Amino acid sequence: MNAPLQDACARPVNYLRISVTDRCNLACVYCKPLSPSPRLLHEDILRFEEILVIARAALESGIRKIRITGGEPLVRKGTLSFLKKLSHLPGLEKLAITTNGVLLPSSLDQLQDAGVHQINVSLDTLDPEVFFRITGKDAFHGVWAGIEEALARKCFIIKLNAVALRGINEKDFPALASLALDNSLSVRFIEEMPIGHHHHADHRPVLVQEIKNALKDLGPLIPLPSDPLDGPARKFTFPGARGEIGFIPALSRHFCHTCNRLRLTADGRLRPCLLSDISHDIKGPLRRGADKKEIQSIFISCLRHKGAEHIFHPDSEGQVDTAMARIGG
């Protein structure tokens, strides 16, 4: 087994997030830019066969976990068949997918058959009306049915991702966190990040400490240890709870020193940091006939540009230019 890749700060990198499309069947307020950008053309998006070549090179370089994202990955035709091929690549220890859950009920059989270990569902509220306000679609009940079915199968790790949105879903934090009391799942609260120019000038993000304060009535938060293949969430549980609570303090408390990931965008660029517009073209060399060693050298070159930490904080006025749907979160 190959040792993990390392970045310029000697951090091990064993986790690759792959966006397979910039299309989505929702229009969430934290993802949709104020001025919509044109969608990628078909020829600009990496083909599944190309992604498999890149993934194989990454796994042979020490990547151990791959997450498929979008946009919404399940809207791309062929994603489920692609996942099955991806799951069979040597060296892959954990295969995950992030979805908005709209197509989850009709996809669970194939996700299970493909060998997907973990499903992350973006769910910012348990209130159908607030769900509509955030996403622009009356789809809460279908999403929730998919989550319940996924839990019932007991073959997936289930995580629910809730972006904290000031003035929109703050009252929903206790209800969301309560799901971890009686269910074997993880509820993760994420500070809204300045990506894709969707913020207004007076925007003020909800920070992790505010979220923790909203959960005090549920009991004390007990810290949990992290796994080497985990993402950036700081994990906790409540006394007697079956599940976990996670907090991703992207702005208030940088987790850069533990970052173990690279991102491959839908249009074939490697990004060393979510909160940076630095990226390296991998699609061009691949389509010009680059072999495995050349592909692996692009990974190494990209990691040299993975900085010690990003520049954003709660009062930052800057933005990451690339839309979240294209990066894949």
Side-chain angles (χ1 to χ4, degrees), residues 3-13 61 299-300 303-304 306:
L5 293 161
Q6 283 196 340
D7 64 19
C9 300
R11 292 168 295 200
V13 175
S61 298
F299 276 88
I300 294 169
L303 285 171
R304 293 195 188 107
K306 190 172 177 66

Side-chain angles (χ1 to χ4, degrees), residues 192-199 251 275 312 316 318-321:
E192 189 181 8
M193 289 173 269
I195 296 174
H197 293 273
H198 62 276
H199 292 142
L251 299 179
L275 288 169
F312 295 98
S316 295
Q319 296 271 339
V320 175
D321 289 332

Side-chain angles (χ1 to χ4, degrees), residues 126-174:
L126 297 179
D127 183 327
E129 292 184 5
V130 178
F131 185 96
F132 179 82
R133 180 181 174 187
I134 293 172
T135 68
K137 190 166 184 175
D138 182 16
F140 171 79
H141 295 291
V143 171
W144 184 246
I147 293 169
E148 288 189 309
E149 173 60 23
L151 283 168
R153 294 188 180 216
K154 301 183 185 300
C155 61
F156 302 110
I157 298 168
I158 304 296
K159 298 187 178 185
L160 307 181
N161 295 338
V163 177
L165 301 167
R166 190 170 300 281
I168 299 179
N169 68 344
E170 291 160 292
K171 66 179 179 60
D172 300 306
F173 298 161

Side-chain angles (χ1 to χ4, degrees), residues 9-65:
C9 300
R11 292 168 295 200
V13 175
N14 53 19
Y15 180 7
L16 177 64
R17 297 175 66 103
I18 300 173
S19 173
V20 297
T21 181
D22 65 335
R23 267 55 169 188
C24 189
N25 46 3
L26 297 181
C28 297
V29 294
Y30 50 79
C31 191
K32 187 177 180 181
L34 296 176
S35 300
S37 56
R39 295 299 188 189
L40 291 170
L41 299 176
H42 178 74
E43 59 267 25
D44 293 331
I45 295 176
L46 282 170
R47 298 185 290 271
F48 285 132
E49 295 80 6
E50 293 172 327
I51 298 175
L52 288 171
V53 170
I54 295 169
R56 188 176 290 109
L59 291 165
E60 291 184 17
S61 298
I63 293 295
R64 291 288 164 260
K65 176 180 178 179

Side-chain angles (χ1 to χ4, degrees), residues 177-189 212 215-226 233-247:
S178 295
L179 294 174
L181 297 176
D182 300 317
N183 298 282
S184 296
L185 52 70
S186 175
V187 180
R188 290 125 53 89
F189 294 95
K212 287 182 177 181
L215 306 184
K216 283 183 176 178
D217 289 346
L218 297 178
L221 288 164
I222 303 168
L224 294 173
S226 295
R234 298 174 184 271
K235 301 193 300 184
F236 299 83
T237 191
F238 295 113
R242 295 180 61 192
E244 299 176 0
I245 300 295
F247 300 99

Side-chain angles (χ1 to χ4, degrees), residues 107-126:
S107 303
L108 282 169
D109 285 344
Q110 288 175 277
L111 289 170
Q112 185 174 344
D113 182 59
V116 170
H117 303 106
Q118 179 178 314
I119 301 174
N120 284 31
V121 183
S122 299
L123 187 71
D124 309 303
T125 178
L126 297 179

